[in-house]
Amino acid sequence: MERLHKYLARAGVASRRKAERLMLDGKVQVNGQVVCQPGSLVDAQRDEVCVEGRKLSLPAQHSYFIFYKPRGVLTTLADPQGRPCVGDWLSKRHGRVYPVGRLDYDTEGALLLTDDGDLVNRLLMPRFQIPRSYVAKVRGKPSSEALQQLCKGVVLSDGKPALALRAKFHRILKANSWVVLTVAEGRYHLVKRMFEAIGHPVLSLFRPAQAGISVLEMRPGQMRALTQEEGVLLKAVALGTRQPPLVVGLPARVAGVFASKE
Ligand code: URA
């Protein structure tokens, strides 16, 4: 049960104070009865609430989580072969959320989970062109021409073209390098195939953030609800009113304890 004036505010009728005014004016009905007593309670699941004859409903409440997917975990809710999958991290308290897109079994990093189908569509549909950035450890050191080629366009092994929005070195090691690649679509193995096309195969792939929601402060295998600020950012990115901020960093295992072995 909750206070009727709070329910009215949640349903978007008016502020709590104005909602109380509407009640005092006799404009609010619960199950067909006018309710004007301040402090009256309502059961949002069961009661029918009307304001000036108009039936109210609450906006759908959705859940949003960010998961630091470890390497060696499938982006599925279940696996018939019993391999580790994202579903292993979900319980009743997460509700009916599912992953927003997919990461390869051996890719680690940010994976959003939600039950908000509209948001998922907007984030994934190619026509919305929402940028996705990956940090890839590739064999050798690509020339700057090769990185430029990724932005001009390359032909993948299936004969189809692919284009990066941005390709920049993040760190250059003795035998390998970490490159930040931003693309605007989510095709199968896209990043791996793009680096394959310039002759520098991916050795390790990390997504530091999805739609601007970062896992850089998290540990692999950690799942958490989005903060309110992150929720606002996510919706703005999905609607196209904000570009996702570029988040760049190395996987926890590399940035942390194993950094000296790189
Ligand atoms: N591109 C890939 O090749 N793999 C991923 O997991 C994500 C993007």
Side-chain angles (χ1 to χ4, degrees):
M1 300 291 274
E2 73 181 301
R3 302 243 168 170
L4 181 53
H5 70 290
K6 271 198 194 172
Y7 174 92
L8 294 171
R10 275 211 298 141
V13 172
S15 67
R16 288 186 194 177
R17 207 152 51 85
K18 285 196 182 144
E20 278 180 319
R21 188 73 252 159
L22 288 170
M23 290 167 63
L24 289 171
D25 290 346
K27 292 184 173 159
V28 180
Q29 291 188 328
V30 177
N31 303 325
Q33 303 284 318
V34 172
V35 176
C36 39
Q37 196 69 31
S40 299
L41 297 175
V42 69
D43 182 340
Q45 303 292 323
R46 298 200 179 145
D47 293 331
E48 184 181 280
V49 182
C50 296
V51 174
E52 296 178 310
R54 188 168 54 89
K55 191 174 164 233
L56 301 184
S57 59
L58 290 175
Q61 299 271 308
H62 291 297
S63 305
Y64 305 91
F65 295 93
I66 183 77
F67 179 49
Y68 187 148
K69 183 184 105 55
R71 292 195 296 184
V73 172
L74 290 167
T75 314
T76 54
L77 294 179
D79 180 51
Q81 294 173 43
R83 287 168 296 179
C85 64
V86 173
D88 299 346
W89 275 264
L90 296 174
S91 62
K92 260 199 187 141
R93 80 177 177 90
H94 297 103
R96 300 170 69 87
V97 297
Y98 56 94
V100 180
R102 61 187 302 284
L103 288 176
D104 293 339
Y105 185 69
D106 57 357
T107 299
E108 64 186 309
L111 183 67
L112 288 163
L113 292 110
T114 184
D115 52 4
D116 183 345
D118 289 340
L119 181 120
V120 173
N121 275 342
R122 294 210 57 110
L123 289 178
L124 298 183
M125 294 250 284
R127 74 186 156 101
F128 296 118
Q129 296 269 302
I130 297 187
R132 300 116 155 106
S133 295
Y134 297 85
V135 185
K137 184 179 181 183
V138 301
R139 182 170 303 147
K141 181 186 174 235
S143 64
S144 46
E145 290 77 27
L147 292 191
Q148 273 169 27
Q149 193 56 52
L150 290 169
C151 299
K152 287 188 198 146
V154 288
V155 178
L156 303 180
S157 46
D158 59 4
K160 295 192 178 140
L163 193 73
L165 301 176
R166 184 180 184 277
K168 292 253 183 301
F169 284 112
H170 176 60
R171 188 174 288 184
I172 296 165
L173 309 168
K174 260 196 214 131
N176 308 310
S177 33
W178 287 94
V179 179
V180 184
L181 189 81
T182 305
V183 290
E185 52 172 331
R187 248 183 292 165
Y188 183 66
H189 286 339
L190 180 63
V191 175
K192 290 177 184 164
R193 291 190 293 145
M194 287 178 78
F195 280 109
E196 200 71 60
I198 59 162
H200 292 274
V202 169
L203 305 173
S204 180
L205 190 55
F206 175 53
R207 180 160 69 180
Q210 187 178 15
I213 311 302
S214 165
V215 294
L216 288 185
E217 303 293 315
M218 294 168 66
R219 294 181 311 280
Q222 197 183 340
M223 167 111 59
R224 63 170 177 83
L226 297 198
T227 64
Q228 206 180 349
E229 242 178 33
E230 288 173 325
V232 171
L233 170 65
L234 179 63
K235 282 171 199 166
V237 168
L239 284 173
T241 55
R242 269 180 81 175
Q243 284 291 302
L246 178 66
V247 177
V248 175
L250 295 177
R253 139 192 77 80
V254 181
V257 275
F258 298 115
S260 59
K261 291 188 185 158
E262 272 295 299

